[in-house]
Amino acid sequence: MIGADAIIKALEHEGTDLVFGYPGGAIMPLFDRLLDAGFKTILVRHEQGASLAADGYARATGRVGVCIATSGPGATNLVTGIANAALDSVPIVCITGQVATSMMGTDAFQEVDIFGMCLGVVKHSFVARDANDLYGMIRRAFEIARSGRPGPVLVDLPKDISIQQIETLEAWPPMPKRQATPSETAMARAQEMIQAAQRPLIYVGGGVGIAGAVRTFRNFVNTTRIPVVATLKGLGSIETEHPLFLGMLGMHGMKAANYAVENCDLLIAVGARFDDRATGKLQEFAPTAKVIHMDIDPAEIGKNRSPEVSLCGALEPNLKALTMPLEKVEWLEQCLVWKDEYRWNYEAPGEGIYAPRFLQLLSRLVPRRTIVTADVGQHQMWLAQHFALQNPNDHLTSGGLGTMGYGVPAAIGAQLGNPDALVICCSGDGSIMMNIQELATINRYSLPVKILLFDNQRLGMVRQWQELFFAERYSAVDLSDNPDFVALARSFGIDGMTIQDRMDEMPGIDYLINHPGPCLLHVRIDPQENVWPLVPPGKSNIHMMEGSSYALSR
């Protein structure tokens, strides 16, 4: 055996069923051995597509995603996807080729210090120095990626190490278990605070879905009858249509959610990190509330908001310990009044297609197990606000990094990991061009991914901010020279259809859901339409701007 064989054996032992990759000089020995591996190699058309597809696969399956690239530009092209996984706590293992150890540090052809470059965006990194370590190293990379708070792990593989002869596969000893658990005093204090609170509110983040604690969380909500608000990544932890769910909070949060945060006297943060897009002006976030903070990562406790009680550790046992029937009738009724008073009015004027209404209609008609991926921009926020979600791991969106170009590769990973599920990528005319080449990957592997493309011929979110905060000085946002997206999709072997009038909404939705194989639904929308509400930068969440007369009913 050689070093590359050890990597294959380790991947097989971890139950890997596919890897995403792109070959090149320094990684060729590993790609040679991939031909005989007991799993599939998915050839993407850009290395960023590999790391983002591995991210989508991991989120949609709960397993570790794997991507492989060569040295130099192959490795650097992975970095955006690695950073995306780091900020959203996604377990992926990234294997990069490297020049031979004798050439390292000489500025050899296609040499970069990818280990040093990725230090700030990985959970851990390895540089292989001995082929006899490779089997244990890859196994350890998986262990690190999925343990505790998940994240990306990098393995840099010099070419000479990948072809070095080895005789045995040596496993490393398992890592010691270091699971934090809250003290009995802290748990008792949290129970007392929940019982004593008059206006408690649950603030749920992405940690619930990552931890696989959805059922336990829902039982906590249903038993306590405490209203819930969610971050972008927390959406789906409780069903969107659940009567106790008030909506997403924050910069583009729903009014009922932001009002509840403003008025609560106890905020129970569950797997959330008090991110600036959720909190707005941090000093004025939940101004009258005491805080109970539950998170598996001790680095998040007190990082942005100091809690009265911290419950660091696995979410499930902590949620179970706090599950108790409560009677907070007056507060619950007030939250439901806000929810009803500020419900969305989808009857936009005119004959054009209004994206919020379109997404709301679509979410009513898709199968219950539908995975949606989103790119970044206005369409991402409209999807979060108006698409009814059933599970957090069926909503794949770039939360922390805000990666344009995420949607299509993530959909590829999600579809490969869930071949029987309906997978819809919601994108915009700006974002889709970032990784348009991955339409070739969809076609090659006959993946039935559905692409919903909202086209306003603008970088919509940037244009909205320039309109509101830069005196309508529009700089570098005009996309009126977009290609014919349907013709472009067809050139990749993917069928397409364009709609732009309200009467075309239902035929378009039927086409998107029921078309056999992959397809692209190109939806033309008003370039002046904005996302509402909007909390201006530097303001508290209570200061929401509303620009459309028909956007929110009162």
Side-chain angles (χ1 to χ4, degrees):
M1 290 187 297
I2 61 173
D5 294 315
I7 293 175
I8 299 300
K9 293 295 184 183
L11 292 173
E12 289 175 340
H13 190 99
E14 291 294 337
T16 301
D17 59 354
L18 56 87
V19 299
F20 302 92
Y22 202 97
I27 201 68
M28 277 188 189
L30 181 55
F31 269 82
D32 175 70
R33 292 310 204 251
L34 285 171
L35 284 171
D36 303 317
F39 50 83
K40 193 172 185 177
T41 301
I42 304 298
L43 174 66
V44 295
R45 298 308 173 92
H46 189 285
E47 292 89 352
Q48 186 183 114
S51 52
L52 294 176
D55 175 299
Y57 171 90
R59 296 194 204 209
T61 64
R63 304 172 66 188
V64 177
V66 181
C67 58
I68 305 173
T70 195
S71 63
T76 59
N77 283 342
L78 291 180
V79 174
T80 295
I82 295 173
N84 192 80
L87 280 150
D88 283 355
S89 305
V90 180
I92 64 174
V93 170
C94 309
I95 303 172
T96 54
Q98 184 55 275
V99 301
T101 52
S102 61
M103 303 295 291
M104 291 173 68
T106 68
D107 294 330
F109 176 67
Q110 289 193 333
E111 179 193 4
V112 295
D113 178 12
I114 194 66
F115 178 92
M117 189 176 293
C118 288
L119 280 175
V121 292
V122 292
K123 190 174 178 184
H124 195 78
S125 294
F126 297 96
V127 178
R129 299 288 185 176
D130 185 336
N132 292 293
D133 290 333
L134 285 172
Y135 180 78
M137 186 179 290
I138 296 297
R139 297 286 307 279
R140 178 58 53 82
F142 273 74
E143 189 179 8
I144 294 171
R146 63 178 166 238
S147 64
R149 180 179 180 173
V153 177
L154 172 72
V155 178
D156 199 29
L157 177 66
K159 188 172 183 179
D160 58 322
I161 303 302
S162 69
I163 60 175
Q164 179 186 337
Q165 293 287 329
I166 60 173
E167 293 183 359
T168 60
L169 301 176
E170 298 182 13
W172 293 0
M175 295 190 303
K177 302 294 184 182
R178 294 193 181 117
Q179 182 66 61
T181 55
S183 67
E184 292 183 6
T185 301
M187 184 59 71
R189 175 66 177 138
Q191 293 169 340
E192 292 172 1
M193 289 171 62
I194 292 174
Q195 290 172 335
Q198 297 301 307
R199 302 184 305 280
L201 184 68
I202 299 167
Y203 156 44
V204 62
V208 166
I210 293 168
V214 172
R215 182 176 297 179
T216 303
F217 176 75
R218 291 180 178 180
N219 184 56
F220 172 64
V221 174
N222 290 327
T223 303
T224 61
R225 303 289 293 167
I226 299 175
V228 183
V229 300
T231 67
L232 176 65
K233 285 191 72 240
L235 292 170
S237 299
I238 193 80
E239 303 95 325
T240 298
E241 296 172 340
H242 193 286
L244 293 174
F245 182 59
L246 305 181
M248 183 172 71
L249 82 163
M251 178 175 284
H252 290 293
M254 309 308 277
K255 291 189 75 172
N258 283 343
Y259 279 167
V261 173
E262 176 76 10
N263 289 279
C264 70
D265 65 358
L266 176 65
L267 192 67
I268 306 169
V270 184
R273 58 190 179 92
F274 292 86
D275 174 72
D276 60 288
R277 290 298 172 107
T279 65
K281 188 176 182 180
L282 185 61
Q283 297 86 340
E284 298 178 15
F285 179 70
T288 61
K290 295 179 180 178
V291 172
I292 298 171
H293 193 175
M294 286 186 258
D295 204 283
I296 198 167
D297 186 356
E300 292 298 341
I301 305 293
K303 185 177 78 174
N304 294 322
R305 172 78 175 253
S306 295
E308 275 66 30
V309 174
S310 64
L311 303 177
C312 188
L315 291 180
E316 281 202 294
N318 292 335
L319 285 168
K320 288 178 180 178
L322 296 178
T323 299
M324 63 189 86
L326 301 172
E327 290 293 334
K328 312 290 182 180
V329 177
E330 185 176 343
W331 167 243
L332 177 57
E333 288 177 351
Q334 175 60 73
C335 288
L336 295 180
V337 166
W338 284 327
K339 183 176 180 179
D340 181 67
E341 184 177 1
Y342 299 114
R343 67 186 182 277
W344 206 267
N345 178 6
Y346 292 101
E347 296 307 315
E351 298 300 320
I353 294 175
Y354 180 45
R357 180 184 61 242
F358 188 92
L359 288 165
Q360 193 249 2
L361 289 172
L362 175 64
S363 70
R364 289 181 184 174
L365 297 171
V366 295
R368 184 173 180 82
R369 179 72 206 282
T370 296
I371 300 172
V372 292
T373 73
D375 269 301
V376 171
Q378 290 181 313
H379 62 277
Q380 179 191 29
M381 293 298 101
W382 283 324
L383 181 75
Q385 291 174 332
H386 305 291
F387 195 94
L389 296 164
Q390 307 300 324
N391 190 291
N393 298 327
D394 292 342
H395 175 227
L396 313 186
T397 190
S398 177
L401 195 63
T403 305
M404 293 178 69
Y406 174 75
V408 171
I412 289 171
Q415 189 75 79
L416 285 162
N418 300 270
D420 297 327
L422 174 63
V423 178
I424 299 174
C425 167
C426 180
S427 190
D429 52 322
S431 282
I432 199 169
M433 294 295 285
M434 294 282 188
N435 276 312
I436 195 75
Q437 77 285 340
E438 298 310 326
L439 294 183
T441 308
I442 291 174
N443 182 53
R444 168 176 285 222
Y445 298 102
S446 301
L447 302 176
V449 171
K450 317 298 182 183
I451 299 173
L452 171 60
L453 175 60
F454 287 112
D455 180 4
N456 57 10
Q457 299 194 339
R458 302 290 188 276
L459 292 176
M461 191 63 83
V462 181
R463 182 211 60 77
Q464 177 171 343
W465 275 56
Q466 289 176 348
E467 174 191 336
L468 299 175
F469 308 121
F470 291 86
E472 300 184 15
R473 289 166 53 83
Y474 299 115
S475 175
V477 293
D478 182 7
L479 300 181
S480 58
D481 56 353
N482 277 332
D484 181 333
F485 285 111
V486 169
L488 182 60
R490 287 174 178 163
S491 73
F492 280 100
I494 297 171
D495 197 24
M497 171 182 176
T498 296
I499 61 173
Q500 61 184 8
D501 296 322
R502 188 177 300 189
M503 68 179 64
D504 298 326
E505 286 179 339
M506 293 310 295
I509 289 172
D510 179 71
Y511 170 79
L512 190 72
I513 295 174
N514 297 312
H515 183 81
C519 68
L520 181 146
L521 180 63
H522 176 226
V523 183
R524 297 186 186 276
I525 60 173
D526 184 352
Q528 301 304 313
E529 192 55 68
N530 289 331
V531 179
W532 305 112
L534 167 63
V535 177
K539 299 291 186 180
S540 71
N541 286 345
I542 202 67
H543 296 119
M544 291 167 277
M545 297 175 64
E546 303 171 59
S548 300
S549 59
Y550 55 85
L552 291 167
S553 63
R554 286 183 171 79

